[in-house]
Amino acid sequence: MSFLKTISEKQARGKVKEIYEDIKKIRKIKKIPNFWKTIANDQDTLERTWNSLQQVMKKGSLDPLTKELIYVAVSMTNSCEYCIRSHSLAAKKKGMSDIMLKELIAVVAMANETNRLVESYQVEVDSFLK
Amino acid sequence: MSFLKTISEKQARGKVKEIYEDIKKIRKIKKIPNFWKTIANDQDTLERTWNSLQQVMKKGSLDPLTKELIYVAVSMTNSCEYCIRSHSLAAKKKGMSDIMLKELIAVVAMANETNRLVESYQVEVDSFLK
Amino acid sequence: MSFLKTISEKQARGKVKEIYEDIKKIRKIKKIPNFWKTIANDQDTLERTWNSLQQVMKKGSLDPLTKELIYVAVSMTNSCEYCIRSHSLAAKKKGMSDIMLKELIAVVAMANETNRLVESYQVEVDSFLK
Amino acid sequence: MSFLKTISEKQARGKVKEIYEDIKKIRKIKKIPNFWKTIANDQDTLERTWNSLQQVMKKGSLDPLTKELIYVAVSMTNSCEYCIRSHSLAAKKKGMSDIMLKELIAVVAMANETNRLVESYQVEVDSFLK
Amino acid sequence: MSFLKTISEKQARGKVKEIYEDIKKIRKIKKIPNFWKTIANDQDTLERTWNSLQQVMKKGSLDPLTKELIYVAVSMTNSCEYCIRSHSLAAKKKGMSDIMLKELIAVVAMANETNRLVESYQVEVDSFLK
Amino acid sequence: MSFLKTISEKQARGKVKEIYEDIKKIRKIKKIPNFWKTIANDQDTLERTWNSLQQVMKKGSLDPLTKELIYVAVSMTNSCEYCIRSHSLAAKKKGMSDIMLKELIAVVAMANETNRLVESYQVEVDSFLK
């Protein structure tokens, strides 16, 4: 939105500046991407999102690559261009090959088709699924 | 829909019967789930969907479990109850633990949040993402 | 919602009563469906919706059946059960056969799949489409 | 995505080349649109999508124009720009006039409104619709 | 769409011209925005939308600013760029500060997250909510 | 999902128990709603969501009722029944009258309609909106 400009690294003060430093160190990047520079307009959202993402995306029973693939799949279903591009890049850094990306897309597309088949036909939940 | 009933295994004839047998053999199940019994109303859709799913979900660079997790993630984003339940069960059979499911949900929810942050703030695509 | 009950035909007064009569006469039905009895909570929305639907759905360059099929297709894409059921019935009254319904569903499902392929691959708009 | 470029007609080999030829012949076009050139990155998806679309969109109980209008309606509901533009052009070639397009849009918009009315008011499914 | 151009103020005739004058007077603007100039292709939709919007957005139990904030929230959830931009501007004219916008976005994003948590976990409706 | 049962108040231990107590005290309720009892399966998500919601929904430049109305509007657009019901109740407790709810629904429905008009007609962003 025209009235909400990004907060550049030079403009960053206090908590925003700290989080910018943190992002660059942990993500091993030299420049802050627009996502962070935009939501930095709202310091609380910046902090909450940064902390939440680290908690949610860290290695658990699912490895970080699988989590990133899921992130991309959701972003594709929501048609969020920025999210598709940035999380595809993140997935690539974590080991996603081009073939894996193509397979991911095929699954996402197919799931969207059968999701609609189910809703269109109003398929009843089987008793063994309840 | 009231006027499109499921095609029971007893009613199945010809190609539908063959596909039902195929599903039971390959999926190692004894009863055909409602999804297949409902789309069986349209023989072409039944055949196309069964063939496509086998092609798309087979082991590739992504293993079958990861593909199933992606399927569940899309279904959650689309709020398709039947799809969430049936593909969660499929994922479970392929090795998804309860902890993995919880982590999957956390990623899906978080991705839906940041997708909206991006759209709401109209975040511009960074040049390194183009 | 528990606090917004339907307005029964007996309870209807003034403009709501008139519109109920109008709906029954024009639609040739004996009972007012829940959709109208629910939005009747907001008299302005009831009137506006009834008038708009008549204008939008009337015979034009597209015949009423085609318009109804489009209505169903949108409702399927939005997974609105009530809308799918009620507009499928309306389409049936206007001549939709079971085979037409199955073909409609196949198109809806396929379109949802290719829509996601386009977004996932970030397909660029061809110059001849601009 | 920057790392998934389109496969030009010159680069096409084997099955991709064959399908490109097929598309040009059957669709009576001289150049392959970006949609096909992009999904050609995944030969299986290219083949499956091309075959499925021909099966789903062929003349049946619904004529090809009606199917195309449904395709456009879904794409509009999903806000898929490429899909709206390409399928509107396809519909135009099959006989859609500008007036038909405007009527189509009015129905799509109205359906999206009443879909939300239904969900917002949590309208209960009438017993005659079950 | 290439074949549906905007109707400029100079080209406007009859009812379209009248509504353009009305919009400029009531909205206190000097130029008609693209939204109106585009839907003017369909005179009925132009008239219906203009009348409906005035009815729906007028001061009621909810003040016009609150209604505008709701409009923006829906547009953000639907990722409609034009709608986000134009209704944010409208909200700003009615008193929305930058801080209010940021808080609005935080709520929209959070709601989208918990909506998915509910669907993903298939949370059952509590009896006190029925 | 059948394999993810709610965590009852009796079963709650450690951090889950503490948060349950916190919810009951701050929300002034006697029983924990299903939303919390379900996401309690994932302690981290429970804690993160509870903390985030308190931060996001607290009085700011927007008052708590307005924030709640926005929450309901998003939930209606996403067709999340549980979310619509629970946040409508929360809004009611904060002062939402039945008339306000009806007006809210009218705005949500109208916004969904014009969002689709914009996407269907591919309305170009005015230069004054950039």
Side-chain angles (χ1 to χ4, degrees), chain B:
Chain B
M1 231 140 312
S2 50
F3 42 95
L4 285 178
K5 312 216 175 300
T6 54
I7 310 294
S8 74
E9 297 186 49
K10 276 194 179 168
Q11 294 168 304
R13 296 281 173 278
K15 201 187 280 183
V16 172
K17 195 179 167 71
E18 279 171 45
I19 296 173
Y20 277 13
E21 290 310 316
D22 216 26
I23 291 172
K24 288 197 285 188
K25 212 176 71 185
I26 291 177
R27 290 276 166 93
K28 286 167 195 155
I29 51 178
K30 293 202 171 138
K31 292 173 75 173
I32 301 293
N34 282 339
F35 174 66
W36 302 107
K37 289 198 293 188
T38 309
I39 67 170
N41 277 288
D42 181 350
Q43 195 176 288
D44 287 344
T45 294
L46 175 67
E47 187 180 28
R48 190 164 41 79
T49 305
W50 174 237
N51 290 338
S52 298
L53 272 178
Q54 284 181 92
Q55 187 198 63
V56 169
M57 300 302 283
K58 71 163 185 276
K59 199 193 158 340
S61 289
L62 297 177
D63 59 280
L65 173 56
T66 303
K67 289 187 171 184
E68 207 62 76
L69 294 173
I70 292 165
Y71 220 108
V72 176
V74 170
S75 304
M76 286 171 168
T77 303
N78 283 333
S79 303
C80 178
E81 183 186 353
Y82 188 93
C83 319
I84 295 171
R85 288 181 184 273
S86 59
H87 286 278
S88 291
L89 183 59
K92 216 178 161 186
K93 286 183 180 176
K94 292 175 183 169
M96 181 183 75
S97 66
D98 277 10
I99 301 182
M100 287 164 80
L101 175 61
K102 292 170 202 173
E103 289 182 12
L104 166 69
I105 292 175
V107 177
V108 167
M110 195 71 212
N112 271 290
E113 182 176 26
T114 61
N115 280 193
R116 295 314 166 203
L117 279 177
V118 163
E119 302 289 3
S120 300
Y121 274 111
Q122 293 285 311
V123 178
E124 236 177 291
V125 178
D126 297 274
S127 54
F128 71 88
L129 290 174
K130 277 174 191 162

Side-chain angles (χ1 to χ4, degrees), chain F residues 22-57:
Chain F
D22 216 25
I23 290 172
K24 288 197 285 187
K25 212 176 70 185
I26 291 177
R27 291 276 165 93
K28 287 167 194 153
I29 51 179
K30 292 201 171 140
K31 294 174 74 173
I32 300 293
N34 282 340
F35 175 67
W36 302 108
K37 289 198 293 190
T38 309
I39 67 171
N41 277 289
D42 181 349
Q43 193 176 290
D44 287 345
T45 293
L46 175 67
E47 187 180 28
R48 191 165 38 80
T49 305
W50 173 237
N51 289 339
S52 299
L53 273 178
Q54 286 182 90
Q55 186 197 63
V56 168
M57 300 303 282

Side-chain angles (χ1 to χ4, degrees), chain A:
Chain A
M1 229 139 317
S2 51
F3 41 94
L4 285 178
K5 312 214 174 303
T6 54
I7 309 294
S8 74
E9 298 186 47
K10 275 194 177 167
Q11 293 168 306
R13 296 283 173 277
K15 200 188 281 184
V16 172
K17 195 180 168 68
E18 279 172 45
I19 295 173
Y20 277 12
E21 291 310 317
D22 215 26
I23 291 172
K24 288 197 286 186
K25 213 177 70 185
I26 290 177
R27 291 275 166 95
K28 286 167 196 153
I29 51 179
K30 291 200 171 141
K31 293 173 76 173
I32 300 294
N34 282 339
F35 174 67
W36 303 107
K37 289 199 292 189
T38 310
I39 66 169
N41 277 289
D42 180 350
Q43 193 177 288
D44 287 345
T45 294
L46 175 68
E47 187 180 27
R48 190 164 39 79
T49 305
W50 173 238
N51 289 339
S52 298
L53 272 178
Q54 284 181 92
Q55 186 197 64
V56 168
M57 299 303 282
K58 71 163 184 277
K59 198 192 158 343
S61 289
L62 297 177
D63 60 280
L65 173 56
T66 302
K67 289 186 170 185
E68 207 63 75
L69 294 173
I70 291 164
Y71 220 108
V72 176
V74 171
S75 304
M76 286 171 169
T77 302
N78 284 332
S79 304
C80 178
E81 184 187 353
Y82 188 93
C83 319
I84 294 170
R85 289 181 183 274
S86 59
H87 286 279
S88 291
L89 183 59
K92 218 179 159 186
K93 286 183 181 176
K94 291 176 183 169
M96 181 183 73
S97 66
D98 277 10
I99 301 181
M100 286 164 80
L101 175 62
K102 293 170 202 173
E103 289 182 11
L104 165 68
I105 292 175
V107 176
V108 167
M110 194 72 212
N112 272 288
E113 182 176 24
T114 60
N115 281 192
R116 295 316 165 202
L117 279 178
V118 162
E119 302 290 2
S120 299
Y121 275 110
Q122 292 286 313
V123 179
E124 236 177 291
V125 178
D126 297 275
S127 54
F128 71 87
L129 290 174
K130 277 173 191 164

